[in-house]
């Protein structure tokens, strides 16, 4: 019996003018994910079909669960579009299914089919009741919706419906640069940005020797875990030691973090222009710490005109943790390695910084060459979802 995976795009279908591009991007992403399997992918503007080898089904579904842009999918049986073949297929398949209540839904997109949907539903229901014992119809709360889709070239029959990740296919939006620390929030922010279709590159600011190589390794592991949801992710590692030491030396204590973050944003903007990225993304959450009060965000954001996306801005920490656990970054994020933000934390960071004071603090030292130098000396690695040992030589 031939089976096929039927993929529905959901949100994509609202993007009228761009549908072709969206569908092509999704098809390419799926092809990438399924490159180890022998599959045939075909699509139209509302759905996609994947033919596969039965032995690979579970592995293929595992991969599909990692692809943004898939709203839902079904594993469907297929047969020729004639009444006898459909009834035979129902007879053959229904006994293998486990359910006690059901309803039949018939979708007849081939309008030349001799009978109408409302005539067909009772016929198919009858076949099911005849071939399976101890079951009954429940139109309101059925355990299983038996769906028969009559298309021009074939009929699809399915008893299941799986939810996909939703969102838009990665690459359907241009690139965005995400500030990725080793914390809990920024990997979640990265995941959510990818869900909107943004192609991600990650940026990690490190302050060796104040931060360790283990801290870098942790970020690489996080990128590797996040790359499951796309194909590869580039990670830019920015040497931040000199800038941080200059800030520490020159800036008044309570403004150290504010100025440090203004420097990070400046570097992000420069790098974004160099890498043709259109947004800065980070894991800031309103009110979480002194540098994330609205006052702080206002003066920090002031250094750039680029859109700064903060996908977790309005989530509670517990909500963020919940997502981090689901996407498998939580366990890595809670490893206790210091971040460059935590190394130089003053006792009482300002919570209502003013722009005026920031400018005064920044006038105390020459930083523009340092910013250029940090970018010039940055290292870039491309990370795939494979064993972290492959990146050992970079550590
Ligand atoms: P936590 O989950 O503990 O809050 P965090 O990574 O969110 O960790 P914050 O100090 O809250 O850390 O920083 C806010 C945001 O700034 C981060 O989510 C991240 O996007 C960015 N950021 C902070 N430190 C770095 C860093 N060393 N490299 C890159 N981005 C950073
Ligand atoms: Mg945070």
């Amino acid at each position: 019996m031939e089976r096929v995976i039927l993929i529905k795009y959901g949100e994509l279908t609202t993007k009228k003018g761009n549908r072709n591009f969206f569908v092509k991007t999704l098809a390419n992403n799926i092809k990438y994910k399924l490159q180890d399997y022998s599959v045939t992918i075909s699509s139209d503007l509302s759905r996609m079909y994947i033919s596969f080898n039965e032995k690979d089904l579970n592995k293929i579904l595992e991969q599909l669960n990692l692809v943004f842009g898939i709203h839902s999918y079904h594993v469907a049986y297929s047969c020729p579009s004639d009444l006898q073949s459909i009834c035979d297929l129902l007879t053959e398949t229904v006994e293998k299914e486990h359910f006690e209540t059901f309803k039949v839904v018939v979708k007849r997109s081939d309008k030349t089919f001799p009978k109408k949907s409302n005539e067909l539903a009772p016929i198919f229901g009858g076949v099911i009741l005849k071939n399976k014992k101890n079951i009954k119809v429940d139109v309101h709360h059925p355990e299983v919706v038996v769906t028969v889709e009559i298309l021009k070239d074939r009929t699809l029959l399915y008893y299941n419906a799986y939810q996909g990740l939703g969102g838009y296919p990665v690459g359907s939006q241009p690139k965005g640069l995400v500030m990725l620390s080793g914390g809990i929030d920024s990997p979640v922010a990265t995941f959510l940005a990818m869900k909107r279709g943004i192609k991600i590159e990650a940026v990690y600011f490190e302050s060796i020797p104040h931060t360790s190589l283990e801290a870098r390794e942790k970020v690489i592991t996080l990128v590797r875990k996040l790359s499951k949801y796309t194909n590869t992710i580039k990670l830019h590692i920015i040497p931040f030691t000199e800038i941080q030491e200059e800030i520490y030396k020159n800036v008044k204590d309570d403004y150290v973090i504010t100025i440090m973050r203004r420097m990070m944003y400046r570097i992000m903007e420069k790098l974004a222009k160099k890498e043709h990225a259109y947004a800065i993304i980070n894991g800031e959450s309103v009110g979480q710490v002194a540098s994330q009060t609205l006052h702080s965000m206002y003066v920090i954001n002031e250094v750039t005109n680029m859109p700064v996306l903060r996908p977790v801005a309005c989530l509670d920490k517990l909500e963020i943790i919940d997502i981090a656990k689901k996407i498998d970054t939580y366990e890595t994020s809670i490893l206790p390695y210091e971040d460059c933000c935590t190394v130089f934390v003053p006792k009482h960071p300002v919570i209502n910084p003013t722009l005026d004071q920031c400018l005064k603090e920044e006038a105390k030292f020459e930083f523009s060459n340092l910013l250029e130098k940090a970018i010039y000396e940055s290292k870039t690695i491309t990370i795939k979802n494979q064993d972290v040992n492959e990146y050992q030589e970079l550590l």
Side-chain angles (χ1 to χ4, degrees):
M1 249 173 306
E2 205 195 323
R3 289 207 289 177
V4 65
I5 299 167
L6 163 60
I7 290 175
K8 296 181 178 163
Y9 315 140
E11 263 189 281
L12 280 199
T13 51
T14 58
K15 296 266 163 201
K16 284 212 176 70
N18 286 336
R19 259 190 226 180
N20 248 332
F21 173 63
F22 275 65
V23 172
K24 217 185 256 173
T25 308
L26 179 61
N28 282 338
N29 293 353
I30 290 176
K31 260 181 220 154
Y32 183 89
K33 281 280 166 219
L34 301 184
Q35 59 189 309
D36 293 341
Y37 308 100
S38 160
V39 293
T40 315
I41 300 174
S42 60
S43 57
D44 57 38
L45 289 182
S46 60
R47 50 191 29 216
M48 200 169 284
Y49 303 99
I50 303 177
S51 310
F52 57 93
N53 284 335
E54 234 6 88
K55 68 176 175 35
D56 299 329
L57 180 62
N58 287 339
K59 293 255 185 272
I60 289 173
L61 297 187
E62 249 172 55
Q63 293 300 312
L64 292 181
N65 286 333
L66 301 171
V67 178
F68 289 117
I70 297 178
H71 179 74
S72 62
Y73 61 90
H74 310 275
V75 183
Y77 295 99
S78 107
C79 72
S81 279
D82 64 77
L83 193 55
Q84 191 55 51
S85 300
I86 301 170
C87 291
D88 288 349
L89 185 61
L90 274 167
T91 307
E92 264 176 272
T93 55
V94 73
E95 55 187 336
K96 281 186 271 172
E97 301 291 329
H98 302 286
F99 59 86
E100 285 173 6
T101 61
F102 74 102
K103 80 170 175 184
V104 175
V105 169
V106 180
K107 296 177 183 169
R108 192 183 59 127
S109 65
D110 175 12
K111 299 295 177 205
T112 63
F113 197 81
K115 285 191 191 310
K116 294 202 172 116
S117 300
N118 58 1
E119 297 172 278
L120 288 166
I123 297 175
F124 296 152
V127 174
I128 292 170
L129 288 167
K130 197 171 128 202
N131 286 283
K132 197 168 174 63
K133 298 206 168 61
N134 300 325
I135 55 168
K136 58 176 192 270
V137 175
D138 179 347
V139 286
H140 299 297
H141 304 289
E143 230 177 287
V144 161
V145 178
V146 181
T147 310
V148 180
E149 294 199 19
I150 302 172
L151 313 172
K152 265 227 145 46
D153 57 336
R154 61 181 162 177
T155 286
L156 299 178
L157 159 67
Y158 47 88
Y159 299 88
N160 52 45
Y162 303 101
Q163 222 182 330
L165 272 185
Y168 299 136
V170 174
S172 60
Q173 292 289 333
K175 219 187 280 174
L177 288 192
V178 60
M179 301 167 69
L180 194 73
S181 60
I184 296 167
D185 305 329
S186 47
V188 172
T190 309
F191 174 84
L192 293 174
M194 286 196 285
K195 187 171 184 182
R196 292 344 290 159
I198 299 172
K199 172 94 188 127
I200 290 296
E201 288 190 13
V203 182
Y204 169 57
F205 294 87
E206 76 174 358
S207 289
I208 286 173
H210 311 296
T211 60
S212 61
L213 285 176
E214 281 88 352
R216 184 198 287 188
E217 189 173 357
K218 180 176 163 183
V219 171
I220 291 178
T221 303
L222 287 170
V223 175
R224 183 175 57 80
K225 290 192 165 190
L226 288 163
S227 69
K228 271 197 305 209
Y229 301 98
T230 171
N231 33 31
T232 59
I233 298 181
K234 268 192 195 171
L235 170 66
H236 304 275
I237 300 174
I238 311 280
F240 203 52
T241 315
E242 224 179 324
I243 297 170
Q244 235 175 342
E245 286 175 350
E246 280 300 300
I247 294 172
Y248 204 55
K249 229 182 340 187
N250 295 293
V251 170
K252 81 189 189 78
D253 213 35
D254 56 342
Y255 268 72
V256 160
I257 296 281
T258 316
I259 303 302
M260 187 184 84
R261 296 196 66 79
R262 279 166 63 92
M263 296 301 164
M264 281 186 178
Y265 271 49
R266 288 184 171 108
I267 291 178
M268 290 303 291
E269 184 185 87
K270 285 178 194 293
L271 198 60
K273 295 210 164 124
K274 189 167 157 240
E275 298 294 325
H276 309 287
Y278 287 81
I280 296 169
I281 299 149
N282 66 37
E284 288 171 349
S285 182
V286 178
Q288 195 182 81
V289 288
S291 62
Q292 292 165 34
T293 63
L294 273 191
H295 279 107
S296 287
M297 283 187 180
Y298 179 82
V299 299
I300 292 165
N301 209 148
E302 190 269 344
V303 299
T304 180
N305 281 324
M306 280 188 75
V308 178
L309 307 184
R310 301 174 177 88
V312 302
C314 300
L315 297 186
D316 287 345
K317 192 74 183 186
L318 286 178
E319 293 172 309
I320 300 173
I321 289 175
D322 207 36
I323 300 175
K325 285 183 177 164
K326 280 192 193 132
I327 64 173
D328 188 33
T329 54
Y330 181 74
E331 292 301 326
T332 308
S333 290
I334 57 173
L335 293 173
Y337 305 117
E338 69 298 324
D339 177 56
C340 74
C341 288
T342 47
V343 177
F344 295 96
V345 185
K347 271 212 183 79
H348 300 290
V350 59
I351 50 174
N352 298 328
T354 64
L355 198 48
D356 231 26
Q357 192 60 39
C358 287
L359 298 176
K360 275 185 198 146
E361 297 304 321
E362 287 174 353
K364 291 180 183 168
F365 67 111
E366 205 321 285
F367 58 83
S368 58
N369 287 340
L370 292 180
L371 301 183
E372 294 298 340
K373 188 166 164 229
I375 292 176
Y376 183 74
E377 290 178 353
S378 68
K379 283 192 219 130
T380 302
I381 52 179
T382 302
I383 296 177
K384 275 193 216 174
N385 180 35
Q386 57 202 155
D387 199 301
V388 75
N389 290 331
E390 303 215 2
Y391 304 102
Q392 241 6 286
E393 79 273 13
L394 298 158
L395 298 172

